[in-house]
Amino acid sequence: MGAKVTLKKIAKELGVSTSTVSKALSDSHEISQDTRDKVKAFAKLYNYKPNNLALKLRHQRSMVIGVIIPEIVHHFFSTVISGIESGANKRGYNVMVCFSNESYQKEVLNIEMLAGGSVDGFLVSIAKETQELMDFRHFEELKEEVPLVLFDRVHPKILCDKVVVDDIGGGFKATEHLIKTGCKNVAIITTPDHISVGLERKRGYLKALETYEIEMNKDYIIHVNEKYDIPTQIKKLLELPNVPDGIFAVNEIYAATAMKIAQDKGIQIPDELSIIGFTDGYISQFSNPSLTTLAQHGYEMGEKAIELLLNRIESKVPDVPYTTEIINVELKFGNSTKKIS
Amino acid sequence: MGAKVTLKKIAKELGVSTSTVSKALSDSHEISQDTRDKVKAFAKLYNYKPNNLALKLRHQRSMVIGVIIPEIVHHFFSTVISGIESGANKRGYNVMVCFSNESYQKEVLNIEMLAGGSVDGFLVSIAKETQELMDFRHFEELKEEVPLVLFDRVHPKILCDKVVVDDIGGGFKATEHLIKTGCKNVAIITTPDHISVGLERKRGYLKALETYEIEMNKDYIIHVNEKYDIPTQIKKLLELPNVPDGIFAVNEIYAATAMKIAQDKGIQIPDELSIIGFTDGYISQFSNPSLTTLAQHGYEMGEKAIELLLNRIESKVPDVPYTTEIINVELKFGNSTKKIS
DNA sequence: ATGCTTTACTAAAACGATTTCGTGTTGATA
DNA sequence: TATCAACACGAAATCGTTTTAGTAAAGCAT
């Protein structure tokens, strides 16, 4: 409730001008010590807080960074956000987070809400629906206004700074580890090919097969369509006449689901079936046995992304070429794979 | 990059006044059809987007709600946010989310960032550190400016609308279920008492013991201090001379941790030990066996919270008394407890 | 020709701050 | 005593928008 205290009101009350009040509060030497003290005392008494909007409008910058991520509950994204916040705060910026919920519509809406002066730059991980629709006009319009950096979920058609995980390398490492620990029939559970990270991880998988001279088996490649029941689609893999003895799943959920299904069928993990997931989140940690995964260093990704963005925002030089940073991934051993012999 | 298009620039370019442009764009009948068309065409051509900050400053309202939650990765909070967003969007508001990371400092900072005009109201779940420090001045100051609704983590000293889970009822139901499925020694893994929800859930636990005339055993009450290693503290419970055969944990992590430790010790779940958690998140779902939990209806909580807030914001009547809504909880059966006989 | 109503527009205030440029009063110096 | 600098403050522009109030010009009736 309560009428807000503004500079103008303080000025009127004290019988001085607003400029005097403003300067007094910022300790300008133009104002006598006497007046400064008086103004400050009055401001404190009435709990004066400057209006953020007015400041931002005046300064033409908000010192706020808008972040749009596709999902809320996602350990990986949460670590990325931590990295972003840390980097932003170090340089005096704040962070606001919005969720697209994997929806194109919400992504557009979020951008509209934050654009138009509210934030100085955007950090976005593209929604699945947007990747499928391939409609990137909102990003193009955005780029006219403020800098944009994409992370994790990116697309070659959008020209800007990017930070991605080494998905190909990760897919390779996972598959290689399964092969090296004795798996003869390694399957992959991935997303449809329009999801960039799923496609890249599959490429890594295929590269590993090639490197170890193993023939690709189409039955061993599952593209999960999230519009339908996920367990049903994964179950098919475990009902093949020639059941795989190694599974590389491109995310935690698929990995944990596969493990549950296998266990229900009485398949021993990891003796009869080894499983590797991507993203070392809570699910992997608390599943039983714990999952071997590819740790993604989300914090590092967040730090890198915000660094690129802030450099772009604060840069005087306009034509720095766009870069794409690649964050390394690392095998993190759980108990869902056999020990290397 | 690119210089932004403003009303002023359009006006100058077209040789009319800014007021004409503004009115033309909003289809005012004061402006001739001819001019309207001309202005609109020009605006579209140069992709004019009104400056949000200026609008908010002018209208003295932002149509944005600020949400501050303590943790990012938390299935429960994510469902609450979904409910908040749904309710907000229905009434034309948008939502911005910030994370306090359970830190008092960050909570204060987040409020400062969003206050001062940026948002029309606040929805907050109090950080653990703030609950411990019991310093609520930032909330008091906030209340002078815009309405505040607390959800889930609340405190009696802060007078405002609140929405909480029926924590006492939940604690009671969980404990009762353990007792009814034959557990003789029911333990609780809870938080320190300054965390409101932990305390309430413990109260429910104690009430159930009383109801079923079971004597309280102090060894069976673990207050986890998150400053130290969590598994170590929980392990003590399972190394008691008289090991409990039922555990009620006030959150998923504690429940899953207890289960892992028990399994490592070769204790059979649920035959030798039953476990119930709170919050039906991914961890409960993907743990093996899946956890019996208390589903919290986060979506409903979010809807209720935003409804209270928007009513307060839009209310013409100033002195509506504060209310506290209580959201029901529900037992959701997993395989970590025995079947009722 | 005078008065009245439309029509179609502009000027200016307002939102709440910052900041540049002026300006009147001191006090010191030549 | 005239001149100049320092001091302490105010006026006004500015950020981008909306909105109220005002005003020319045209059309119409008397």
Side-chain angles (χ1 to χ4, degrees):
Chain A
M1 38 176 282
K4 277 148 216 159
V5 202
T6 65
L7 281 192
K8 207 184 276 185
K9 285 180 190 156
I10 298 182
K12 180 173 269 180
E13 211 68 35
L14 257 49
V16 295
S17 74
T18 60
S19 20
T20 304
V21 177
S22 171
K23 286 170 188 168
L25 289 175
S26 59
D27 252 323
S28 161
H29 58 276
E30 286 182 50
I31 307 297
S32 70
Q33 194 59 50
D34 215 47
T35 314
R36 271 190 255 179
D37 292 345
K38 218 173 287 172
V39 170
K40 281 188 190 168
F42 193 89
K44 178 154 281 174
L45 181 63
Y46 286 95
N47 194 30
Y48 167 74
K49 288 275 161 63
N51 182 305
N52 265 329
L53 292 178
L55 283 176
K56 290 174 186 173
L57 181 59
R58 174 69 231 235
H59 288 132
Q60 295 290 82
R61 59 196 332 223
S62 63
M63 300 303 279
V64 174
I65 300 302
V67 179
I68 301 179
I69 58 174
E71 273 188 82
I72 312 188
V73 204
H74 205 298
H75 189 265
F76 172 62
F77 283 128
S78 86
T79 56
V80 177
I81 289 178
S82 298
I84 291 173
E85 284 202 307
S86 152
N89 294 340
K90 264 182 209 148
R91 289 169 70 167
Y93 285 79
N94 283 100
V95 172
M96 270 176 194
V97 183
C98 290
F99 308 99
S100 65
N101 259 317
E102 305 286 13
S103 142
Y104 168 77
Q105 264 298 326
K106 281 216 68 183
E107 191 172 273
V108 173
L109 245 51
N110 279 330
I111 287 181
E112 272 173 14
M113 170 175 68
L114 294 175
S118 297
V119 302
D120 293 340
F122 276 87
L123 246 29
V124 181
S125 193
I126 309 177
K128 281 184 186 169
E129 204 186 344
T130 308
Q131 292 195 92
E132 200 173 350
L133 292 173
M134 295 250 272
D135 185 346
F136 304 127
R137 280 172 301 176
H138 50 310
F139 292 123
E140 293 307 326
E141 281 187 17
L142 185 63
K143 275 166 53 188
E144 300 288 307
E145 225 192 290
V146 287
L148 163 73
V149 172
L150 293 179
F151 65 94
D152 196 46
R153 311 256 200 92
V154 304
H155 197 279
K157 283 208 175 158
I158 309 172
L159 299 175
C160 63
D161 289 320
K162 292 165 193 165
V163 186
V164 294
V165 150
D166 181 12
D167 289 305
I168 297 188
F172 186 90
K173 280 182 190 168
T175 313
E176 181 179 48
H177 185 251
L178 290 171
I179 294 168
K180 281 195 176 167
T181 52
C183 298
K184 299 296 174 204
N185 301 307
V186 180
I188 180 172
I189 305 175
T190 185
T191 63
D193 283 343
H194 64 260
I195 310 289
S196 57
V197 297
L199 178 60
E200 298 287 282
R201 288 168 197 177
K202 189 176 81 176
R203 285 194 177 132
Y205 162 81
L206 294 174
K207 197 170 126 197
L209 293 189
E210 204 178 314
T211 305
Y212 288 91
E213 292 172 348
I214 296 168
E215 211 171 327
M216 183 194 88
N217 179 343
K218 275 211 158 184
D219 292 340
Y220 286 168
I221 302 181
I222 305 284
H223 292 98
V224 173
N225 184 335
E226 299 206 347
K227 281 178 194 131
Y228 308 108
D229 185 57
I230 299 174
T232 312
Q233 297 170 68
I234 293 180
K235 198 172 275 175
K236 279 188 192 140
L237 187 62
L238 296 167
E239 282 166 354
L240 247 35
N242 195 12
V243 177
D245 57 357
I247 293 179
F248 163 46
V250 299
N251 63 45
E252 271 195 329
I253 305 265
Y254 297 172
T257 305
M259 189 157 80
K260 271 230 152 176
I261 293 170
Q263 285 170 330
D264 286 349
K265 289 188 179 297
I267 298 172
Q268 288 298 313
I269 314 270
D271 300 328
E272 298 173 70
L273 171 66
S274 299
I275 300 181
I276 294 188
F278 222 103
T279 307
D280 56 323
Y282 282 126
I283 299 178
S284 307
Q285 212 173 308
F286 285 105
S287 66
N288 192 12
S290 61
L291 279 166
T292 294
T293 60
L294 285 149
Q296 286 184 95
H297 303 175
Y299 192 87
E300 202 183 317
M301 172 178 264
E303 282 186 317
K304 199 70 214 174
I306 190 75
E307 189 194 329
L308 286 175
L309 183 67
L310 295 184
N311 287 350
R312 192 64 72 175
I313 289 173
E314 292 171 355
S315 160
K316 269 97 192 131
V317 206
D319 292 323
V320 184
Y322 293 131
T323 64
T324 296
E325 295 274 344
I326 296 172
I327 307 290
N328 213 26
V329 296
E330 199 184 356
L331 259 177
K332 192 173 163 187
F333 301 105
N335 298 314
S336 65
T337 51
K338 287 174 273 188
K339 303 280 169 261
I340 218 150
S341 49
Chain B
M1 38 177 285
K4 278 150 215 157
V5 201
T6 66
L7 283 192
K8 208 182 275 185
K9 284 180 191 156
I10 298 182
K12 181 172 267 179
E13 210 68 34
L14 258 48
V16 295
S17 74
T18 61
S19 19
T20 303
V21 177
S22 171
K23 286 174 185 166
L25 288 175
S26 58
D27 252 322
S28 162
H29 57 277
E30 285 183 52
I31 306 296
S32 69
Q33 194 58 53
D34 214 49
T35 314
R36 270 190 255 178
D37 292 345
K38 218 173 287 174
V39 170
K40 280 187 189 168
F42 194 91
K44 178 153 279 174
L45 181 63
Y46 285 94
N47 193 32
Y48 167 74
K49 287 274 162 61
N51 182 303
N52 266 328
L53 292 177
L55 283 177
K56 291 174 186 173
L57 181 59
R58 175 69 230 235
H59 287 134
Q60 295 291 85
R61 62 198 325 227
S62 64
M63 300 302 279
V64 175
I65 301 301
V67 179
I68 301 179
I69 59 174
E71 273 188 81
I72 312 188
V73 205
H74 206 299
H75 189 264
F76 171 62
F77 283 128
S78 86
T79 57
V80 177
I81 289 178
S82 298
I84 291 173
E85 284 202 308
S86 153
N89 293 341
K90 263 182 209 147
R91 290 169 69 166
Y93 286 79
N94 283 101
V95 172
M96 269 176 195
V97 183
C98 290
F99 308 100
S100 65
N101 260 318
E102 305 286 14
S103 143
Y104 168 77
Q105 265 297 326
K106 280 216 68 182
E107 191 172 273
V108 173
L109 246 49
N110 280 329
I111 287 181
E112 273 173 14
M113 170 175 66
L114 293 175
S118 298
V119 302
D120 293 340
F122 276 87
L123 247 29
V124 181
S125 192
I126 309 176
K128 281 184 185 167
E129 203 188 344
T130 309
Q131 292 195 95
E132 198 173 351
L133 292 173
M134 295 249 274
D135 185 344
F136 305 127
R137 281 171 301 175
H138 50 309
F139 291 122
E140 294 306 327
E141 282 186 17
L142 186 61
K143 275 167 53 190
E144 299 288 306
E145 225 192 290
V146 286
L148 163 72
V149 173
L150 293 178
F151 65 95
D152 196 48
R153 310 257 200 91
V154 304
H155 197 279
K157 283 208 175 158
I158 309 173
L159 300 174
C160 62
D161 290 320
K162 292 164 193 167
V163 186
V164 294
V165 151
D166 181 13
D167 289 306
I168 297 188
F172 186 90
K173 280 181 191 170
T175 313
E176 182 179 48
H177 185 250
L178 290 171
I179 294 169
K180 281 196 177 166
T181 53
C183 297
K184 300 295 173 205
N185 301 306
V186 179
I188 180 173
I189 305 175
T190 184
T191 64
D193 283 344
H194 63 260
I195 310 289
S196 57
V197 298
L199 179 59
E200 297 288 282
R201 290 168 195 176
K202 189 176 82 178
R203 286 195 176 130
Y205 162 82
L206 295 173
K207 197 171 125 197
L209 293 189
E210 205 177 313
T211 305
Y212 287 91
E213 293 173 347
I214 297 168
E215 211 171 327
M216 184 195 86
N217 180 342
K218 275 212 158 183
D219 291 341
Y220 286 167
I221 302 181
I222 304 285
H223 292 100
V224 174
N225 185 335
E226 300 206 347
K227 281 179 195 129
Y228 308 109
D229 185 56
I230 299 174
T232 312
Q233 296 171 69
I234 293 179
K235 198 172 274 176
K236 280 187 191 139
L237 187 63
L238 295 167
E239 282 167 354
L240 247 35
N242 194 12
V243 177
D245 58 357
I247 293 179
F248 163 45
V250 301
N251 62 45
E252 270 194 330
I253 305 264
Y254 296 173
T257 306
M259 189 157 81
K260 271 231 151 175
I261 294 170
Q263 285 171 330
D264 286 349
K265 290 188 179 297
I267 299 172
Q268 287 299 312
I269 315 266
D271 301 328
E272 298 173 71
L273 172 65
S274 298
I275 300 180
I276 294 188
F278 223 103
T279 307
D280 56 323
Y282 282 126
I283 299 178
S284 307
Q285 210 173 309
F286 285 104
S287 66
N288 191 12
S290 61
L291 278 165
T292 294
T293 61
L294 285 149
Q296 286 185 93
H297 302 176
Y299 192 88
E300 203 184 317
M301 171 177 263
E303 283 185 316
K304 200 71 216 171
I306 189 76
E307 190 194 327
L308 287 175
L309 183 67
L310 295 185
N311 288 350
R312 193 63 73 176
I313 289 174
E314 292 171 357
S315 161
K316 269 97 192 130
V317 207
D319 291 325
V320 183
Y322 293 129
T323 64
T324 295
E325 296 274 344
I326 295 172
I327 306 290
N328 212 26
V329 296
E330 199 185 355
L331 260 177
K332 191 172 164 187
F333 300 106
N335 298 315
S336 66
T337 51
K338 287 173 274 188
K339 303 281 169 259
I340 218 151
S341 49

